Amino acid sequence: MSGIIKSILDTDLYKFTTGYAYSKLFPRAKGEFRFVDRDEVVYPKGFDTLVREEIQKMSLLCLTPEEETFLYKMLPYLPPTYIDFLKGYRYNPEEIEVWMDEKNHLHIVASGLLYRITMWETPILALVSELYFRVTGATPDWVHIRNETRRKAEEIAKHEIQTSIFGMRRRFSSEVEDKVTSILKEHAGNYLFGTSNVYYAMKHNLRVSGTHPHEWIQFHGAIFGYKMANYMAMEHWIDVYDGDLGTVLTDTYTTDVFMRNFSKKHAMLFTSIRHDSGDPFGFVEKAISRYKELRVDPQIKYIVFSDSLNIEKAKKIKAYCSGRIGATFGIGTNLTNDVGNGIKPLNIVMKLFRCQITSSQPWYNCVKLSDVDGKHTGDKGEIELAQRTLLIGMP
């Protein structure tokens, strides 16, 4: 009865790191994640039933002794208590609702305790993507995959582009991600820094790499207010990880707002900042300017670029940063869903829409304000409130 998701470790690193942070600081907090298809794809009839069947199969997964050993060795910042929790953790399908509306648009909602509910995001996106291509009869061109991935790997090595694979969520299939990871390891050499997928890091003996997610800052915005969201999210991350996992995400409420919240303390403690939307070259200028304003040498810091990257774009960004600030790259869909035959990846996300600090407190809406117009996520009224609060788009 094996399903698309075959291991608890078949997920992005940040699901474990954020889950532990919730369990340590906010063990009673609840949340609601919702699936969003930005292209409003019309799914095949009965697709929701197939998704529910895959989710049911996930309830049989459990942490194996080999996986436990890997976590202890490669993720030392996770304490034994949390790894013990993972040994007993089981995906609970009762936490998930799946349905299709009259237009055959897909809806998925995960709700419950945040330290548990956060675990659903990336596996659900991966299984929806793989299931969609399977049901619609899409066939990957394996010659294209091998040739293109090797070409990209050789370009990565030639131009010394420090790269991590960030491609689980919109991969064509687990088989494609596995093959791509293998080819990159073979041909990119030391310039393949690692992968965010914990299972494939274990299988291919790679570093596990990643950052914290938008949901962590969204949660803090809902609970502590939008003006304090970035600051409190960074403070709490430091409280939990004490200097480990030193990359901070910048665009939950736009980069300009983040830079206002980015203090000297945080600029020193966090090794790198992550660019995930908007103009990367403008972001470089803003980052360097802020570091200099805080009297921090930008040449000892890094930007992790992860927004819709391909190798050509990464080469241009690296050249732009050269001698000014460090640059590393998290490349996702262009690696794990470049499969030829005219196949277009799905444009899907799963975001935190509501949260509650304890059962006795009200539910609060959660929003994300992108640096790109039209990519805001959340309740329309709450988005407008956040924009007014943060003076975004105000004259």
Side-chain angles (χ1 to χ4, degrees):
M1 195 181 172
S2 178
I4 288 172
I5 306 299
K6 297 180 174 63
S7 167
I8 279 181
L9 297 194
D10 189 8
T11 192
D12 280 326
L13 170 65
Y14 73 82
K15 292 290 87 181
F16 296 131
T17 56
T18 310
Y20 170 59
Y22 285 136
S23 70
K24 181 174 181 178
L25 298 182
F26 308 103
R28 294 176 177 81
K30 293 182 179 179
E32 179 181 288
F33 282 79
R34 298 181 194 173
F35 173 86
V36 177
D37 188 321
R38 289 172 172 157
D39 292 339
E40 297 188 333
V41 167
V42 175
Y43 287 81
K45 186 176 181 181
F47 189 81
D48 52 341
T49 300
L50 297 177
V51 171
R52 282 192 291 271
E53 289 174 355
E54 288 294 332
I55 286 171
Q56 190 65 45
K57 292 174 185 177
M58 288 174 64
S59 67
L60 302 177
L61 299 175
C62 61
L63 195 72
T64 68
E66 179 190 11
E67 292 169 342
E68 179 187 359
T69 299
F70 178 80
L71 292 180
Y72 273 114
K73 180 181 178 182
M74 299 301 294
L75 278 62
Y77 37 79
L78 293 179
T81 51
Y82 186 70
I83 295 176
D84 276 346
F85 159 73
L86 291 177
K87 287 171 65 177
Y89 175 80
R90 300 294 183 273
Y91 284 106
N92 180 3
E94 293 183 5
E95 296 169 338
I96 304 294
E97 294 180 74
V98 184
W99 74 97
M100 298 216 300
D101 60 29
E102 64 280 358
K103 296 181 179 179
N104 280 3
H105 295 151
L106 181 65
H107 301 268
I108 305 173
V109 175
S111 55
L113 290 164
L114 266 173
Y115 71 86
R116 291 185 55 87
I117 294 304
T118 191
M119 295 282 282
W120 285 107
E121 179 205 359
T122 47
I124 282 181
L125 293 171
L127 79 82
V128 166
S129 180
E130 181 164 347
L131 193 59
Y132 174 78
F133 292 120
R134 181 187 298 176
V135 170
T136 57
T139 304
D141 181 341
W142 287 103
V143 173
H144 172 91
I145 292 169
R146 285 191 293 271
N147 291 342
E148 273 298 290
T149 305
R150 178 167 179 168
R151 181 191 67 79
K152 292 170 187 176
E154 290 172 348
E155 285 285 291
I156 287 169
K158 177 182 177 181
H159 295 278
E160 301 181 350
I161 302 169
Q162 200 77 42
T163 302
S164 292
I165 305 167
F166 281 10
M168 178 190 177
R169 294 181 301 163
R170 297 172 194 165
R171 68 191 183 194
F172 181 88
S173 68
S174 54
E175 185 181 11
V176 167
E177 182 173 11
D178 189 14
K179 186 65 175 176
V180 164
T181 303
S182 176
I183 295 170
L184 286 167
K185 182 183 178 183
E186 181 179 359
H187 296 286
N190 293 331
Y191 293 101
L192 178 62
F193 181 81
T195 175
S196 63
N197 187 304
V198 183
Y199 177 75
Y200 289 117
M202 182 181 74
K203 181 174 180 179
H204 295 283
N205 192 27
L206 293 169
R207 295 185 191 92
V208 191
S209 60
T211 68
H212 68 225
H214 294 110
E215 69 176 88
W216 181 248
I217 305 158
Q218 287 180 272
F219 172 80
H220 283 78
I223 300 302
F224 296 100
Y226 296 115
K227 290 181 179 179
M228 290 297 293
N230 287 303
Y231 188 90
M232 291 302 298
M234 286 185 279
E235 287 290 291
H236 282 146
W237 200 255
I238 292 165
D239 288 346
V240 174
Y241 290 111
D242 196 30
D244 281 319
L245 301 167
T247 301
V248 63
L249 187 56
T250 59
D251 70 330
T252 306
Y253 300 117
T254 74
T255 295
D256 289 341
V257 169
F258 172 84
M259 292 300 176
R260 294 201 297 265
N261 293 155
F262 198 40
S263 69
K264 175 71 174 280
K265 170 185 175 180
H266 297 141
M268 293 299 292
L269 286 176
F270 284 98
T271 309
S272 50
I273 57 177
R274 177 175 156 203
H275 169 265
D276 199 48
S277 64
D279 174 26
F281 304 102
F283 183 89
V284 171
E285 298 303 328
K286 290 177 182 180
I288 290 174
S289 175
R290 184 57 175 162
Y291 277 124
K292 288 181 176 179
E293 185 180 4
L294 295 170
R295 303 183 310 283
V296 176
D297 181 1
Q299 293 188 63
I300 66 171
K301 297 297 179 178
Y302 286 84
I303 300 174
V304 179
F305 294 91
S306 61
D307 179 35
S308 305
L309 290 178
N310 56 40
I311 304 303
E312 290 304 311
K313 188 174 179 181
K315 285 161 57 176
K316 293 176 183 177
I317 294 170
K318 181 178 184 291
Y320 192 79
C321 293
S322 180
R324 306 176 70 205
I325 192 168
T328 66
F329 301 86
I331 303 179
T333 308
N334 183 256
L335 293 176
T336 61
N337 207 332
D338 180 4
V339 296
N341 289 339
I343 294 170
K344 178 185 176 184
L346 294 176
N347 189 5
I348 54 177
V349 294
M350 199 161 177
K351 294 294 185 184
L352 185 64
F353 269 68
R354 296 199 306 156
C355 67
Q356 180 188 44
I357 192 73
T358 66
S359 296
S360 62
Q361 297 296 313
W363 284 86
Y364 295 101
N365 289 320
C366 299
V367 299
K368 178 185 179 297
L369 307 180
S370 174
D371 283 320
V372 178
D373 290 339
K375 290 184 70 175
H376 300 334
T377 304
D379 176 78
K380 183 178 179 181
E382 191 70 22
I383 288 172
E384 292 173 353
L385 173 62
Q387 289 175 315
R388 290 198 303 272
T389 302
L390 297 171
L391 305 178
I392 297 171
M394 300 292 114

